[in-house]
Amino acid sequence: MQFILMLVVCFSAAAGSASAPAGSAGVPAGTQAEAPALPGRAQAPSGAVAEATLYSRKIQPLFDNRCLACHSCFNAPCQLNLQNFEGFQRGANKLNVYDGTRLKSVEPSRLWIDAHADEWRKRGFYEVSTSKDPDQNLFFQITQLRATAKDAVITKQVADTHVCAQTMTDYQLLAKNSPELGMPYGFPALSPSELATLKDWVKAGSPGPDAEEFKRQNTPSVELQTQVHEWEEFLNQESLRHQLVSRYLYEHLFLAHIYFPEKPEEFFRLVRSKQSCAQGIQEIATRRPNDNPGMKKFWYCLKKFPGTVVKKTHIPYQWSPAKMARYKELFLAEGWKVSALPSYESGVAENPFVAFKDIPVKARYQFLLDDAQYQVSTFIKGPVCNGSMAVNSIQEQFYVFFLNPSSDNMVLSQKYADKAAGLLMMPGVWGSDVDIKETPLFYKKLVDHRENYRKLRIEELAKLRPEGYTLKDVWDGGGFNPNATLTVLRHDDNAVVMKGAVGDLSKTVFMLDYPLFERLVYNLVVNFDVFGNVSHQLLTRVYMDMIRMEAEELFLTFLPSEERLSYRRSWYRGLLTQAKMSYVYPTVGSAVPTGIKFNEDNNTKKQFVQKVLFFHQNETVRGGWDLINWKSLEIPDSMQGQWKVKGLDKELRKIAAVKAEAATPFSRFFPDLALLNIKTPKGLKIYSLIHNKEHENISWILGESLRMDPESDTLTVREGVWGSYPNMIFNVKENELAAFVTQVRAMKSAADYQNLVTRYGLRRSNAKFWSFYDDMHVAMRKSDPVSFGYLDLTRYELK
């Protein structure tokens, strides 16, 4: 009944917003154009600009700096995606991609993948560049409206506005009744020179790159062509072993922005092609990377990323000769055999434990561990721009550890792996259109399989580790890999993954083994379809609940058996939640011992984390101390000499990891993510102020606001931009930081927070907003060019 009620309530839930684009002449039909992101403000270059390069030199930089703050990925208003000319040419669509109530799946609308040029018109997209006359051009008029109605007040965030003008008649009604919808929405208008640039472009027919410019943009740089060719050769070898390994790599890397160290600002996508890479890439567009490609022979190719990079979908992944050697060592050194390649049939393709059973488990698991931050990030950013389906099923901040491959049940016993494979089924097996009437039965099947697997796992553990797990069973990164400890920090419906233990001791901790790690990737990334129906999305979400609870349970097996239940109860408070846990997730293996010795103070979670960080993992693996946030964690006496907090960190430590209790409630008034720009003599330093909102439990899809624990809220403060959707930007000079911190600590109300914003905040109405915004992006690119991507402002504070 609880599940049926949850399903019924889901139908009444409001959906989010959508995204896509439109345009006119330029790129040859069926092709893609890349418009590289350029730093700084969009200024016209001096002298005449050839029409062939007009778009990439003038217009795309303007889009990057003024439009991508809203218009990129699926959450772009009206699906108008301006990451490159093809997005502009595609136009807009009134369909909401993030529709959590649709009964039937919809056709995918992934820019650069699902259609090209005029094919988009058949899919309901309409042009936004409607005329060479700027007075009759829909795109230009909506952009100019912001300048003529600059005092119009906005009252809604982008996700809550669903007006998509399709004709000039629509525009005239919009301008009359809703002038606040002029672009950029809710931010200062484009400057006169920027509007003039757009106007001249529109008069010229809104041209895109010509064929020669297009070819230049989509051809790998000379420095990279040899490596690209070598990787494509490696991926397309004919042996069954190579084919299986390439399929495994593709299904895990299809979201990656692959780059090479020789030219780290140039990114590629790994795609399947209908013809050889040398003949010209013809990408095979399937809903999922594990769907049948529709042909027996196809090729894996590296395709240049065709648009400007935005932070919310940017997951960089490095390839190099060393990485290829590592793949060969992991997957091809041993003499395992493949008798036949796995099919793409239901029940096989969606289950990696079945599809890839011939690849040694240890190789698969070590592959995931090698780049664990990337793999975990795929479900956080993934194909959906934000992780709303998954992210509200996790805590606001938690550490992630991994089971040592040599201790994993599946690695240790092939017989066990074969038994477990069928029990590890995931919702993807039922596709994108799950019959609503069958959903409760499917849910019960998932629960039954999961419970049988839990029992099997505990039985195997008792055989293999009768004395329980010890510290040696925690992966130590091999003594050199900094992916061994990760931290996930959530900001509402999106999150980031950092290396190391960031923030103070987390409430819960994930311990991932191979089955958990692989299911996390396949359930939320490979098998998930953002265009699927309500039941597909719901089952994906509830299965993530199961993964979360299993990861917490595996962590608890390292603690004394007599304390596990009390920890679990503290994580899942509330009578209804306790009842659900007893029914859906009863305790299993509560008597299994631990091989770790603890002191008698009973704070065993803290003891265990400290043992891992300070004694089991070396400094290379665990990373540096979190000098700003660590307060509950206690540095061993032998390491106290390394604990030196000074400068900006010393001041910011005063507001980090402070519980929002009666005397210090300031953190609860902060938004999910604020960026603090500190102007120093050496340049701009940016810190992220992340609001960790504590919950009584996170075991329900809806009603999150009813289960909050605001007195336990804290701020995590970290140098760098750790999030894609800032809600507020603060600007302070270095000599003002102490005053800023003092004012933060004195906050007792929402009014006090607004006073802080008035003094230091960058309100969206500030006439100099774009100047600060540009400077920040320049600093971001300079400090971390590989991870750089433009920020999304769709959640920026309204006032």
Side-chain angles (χ1 to χ4, degrees), residues 97 142 530 628:
V97 173
I142 289 178
V530 68
I628 298 177

Side-chain angles (χ1 to χ4, degrees), residues 25-86:
V27 180
T31 59
Q32 303 174 14
E34 175 198 4
L38 302 176
R41 271 158 255 158
Q43 300 291 338
S46 59
V49 179
E51 186 174 289
T53 60
L54 173 63
Y55 182 86
S56 57
R57 281 175 155 284
K58 281 189 170 185
I59 304 304
Q60 188 60 53
L62 194 154
F63 286 171
D64 293 348
N65 293 293
R66 297 294 176 266
C67 305
L68 291 192
C70 293
H71 287 280
S72 58
C73 198
F74 301 138
N75 65 337
C78 306
Q79 293 198 65
L80 179 59
N81 188 322
L82 299 178
Q83 286 179 265
N84 76 345
F85 181 74
E86 186 177 357

Side-chain angles (χ1 to χ4, degrees), residues 242-505:
H242 275 92
Q243 289 186 59
L244 187 60
V245 169
S246 294
R247 175 172 165 179
Y248 184 78
L249 292 175
Y250 168 69
E251 292 183 11
H252 289 80
L253 299 177
F254 75 103
L255 290 179
H257 288 173
I258 295 169
Y259 71 96
F260 298 92
E262 293 83 355
K263 207 166 176 57
E265 72 279 7
E266 190 169 323
F267 297 100
F268 296 83
R269 294 171 52 236
L270 181 59
V271 304
R272 297 186 293 188
S273 174
K274 296 177 183 177
Q275 60 185 23
S276 73
C277 313
Q279 288 179 298
I281 301 169
Q282 292 186 6
E283 184 171 355
I284 299 171
T286 55
R287 279 183 178 267
R288 301 174 180 82
N290 55 345
D291 282 344
N292 194 326
M295 55 192 68
K296 186 174 181 180
K297 178 62 178 175
F298 58 89
W299 288 260
Y300 296 102
C301 303
L302 281 172
K303 192 171 191 176
K304 256 184 101 170
F305 184 74
T308 300
V309 170
V310 292
K311 196 168 184 67
K312 60 191 171 188
T313 57
H314 186 41
I315 319 177
Y317 186 94
Q318 187 186 101
W319 270 1
S320 64
K323 180 64 76 174
M324 187 183 291
R326 177 59 168 167
Y327 286 175
K328 290 176 179 178
E329 176 191 1
L330 283 178
F331 294 113
L332 302 171
E334 292 186 30
W336 54 276
K337 296 180 180 180
V338 180
S339 55
L341 292 173
S343 73
Y344 287 95
E345 294 178 359
S346 177
V348 175
E350 305 87 0
N351 190 330
F353 308 102
V354 174
F356 301 107
K357 60 181 176 59
D358 289 333
I359 301 178
V361 176
K362 187 175 183 179
R364 285 180 269 157
Y365 187 24
Q366 191 62 59
F367 166 77
L368 296 179
L369 292 174
D370 277 0
D371 298 286
Q373 183 190 35
Y374 162 82
Q375 300 293 349
V376 176
S377 293
T378 58
F379 100 81
I380 295 296
K381 294 188 175 184
V384 297
C385 314
N386 65 65
S388 55
M389 280 302 300
V391 177
N392 71 350
S393 66
I394 59 176
Q395 296 283 351
E396 297 273 326
Q397 177 243 355
F398 59 94
Y399 301 154
V400 182
F401 298 130
F402 301 92
L403 200 65
N404 196 323
S406 62
S407 305
D408 190 282
N409 288 357
M410 274 198 169
V411 174
L412 293 170
S413 171
Q414 185 60 50
K415 184 177 179 182
Y416 168 82
D418 293 339
K419 280 185 184 179
L423 298 176
L424 296 173
M425 65 178 296
M426 288 167 277
V429 72
W430 295 300
S432 300
D433 279 304
V434 180
D435 188 329
I436 293 175
K437 298 188 298 295
E438 298 292 326
T439 304
L441 297 177
F442 290 159
Y443 175 71
K444 185 177 185 306
K445 191 170 184 179
L446 288 173
V447 171
D448 289 346
H449 276 65
R450 192 275 312 270
E451 289 309 295
N452 288 332
Y453 167 70
R454 289 176 69 211
K455 293 173 184 174
L456 177 67
R457 188 191 180 286
I458 286 296
E459 290 170 2
E460 189 72 12
L461 176 62
K463 295 179 193 173
L464 299 174
R465 290 285 189 277
E467 302 301 320
Y469 286 130
T470 68
L471 276 181
K472 291 182 179 179
D473 296 307
V474 180
W475 185 48
D476 66 355
F480 64 88
N481 192 324
N483 285 275
T485 293
L486 302 177
T487 301
V488 176
L489 285 140
R490 171 187 166 195
H491 327 297
D492 187 31
D493 63 356
N494 60 97
V496 293
V497 185
M498 306 184 195
K499 292 177 181 176
V502 179
D504 204 10
L505 179 64

Side-chain angles (χ1 to χ4, degrees), residues 75 157 386 492-494 725-727 792-797:
N75 65 337
Q157 287 286 13
N386 65 65
D492 187 31
D493 63 356
N494 60 97
Y725 299 86
N727 306 103
D792 187 300
L793 297 178
T794 56
R795 287 144 182 152
Y796 206 78
E797 288 189 7

Side-chain angles (χ1 to χ4, degrees), residues 103 221 302 354 366 402 431 455 461 552 636 639 715 766 782:
L103 303 183
S221 298
L302 281 172
V354 174
Q366 191 62 59
F402 301 92
K455 293 173 184 174
L461 176 62
E552 293 168 346
M639 300 179 180
L715 290 181
N766 190 314
K782 183 179 179 181

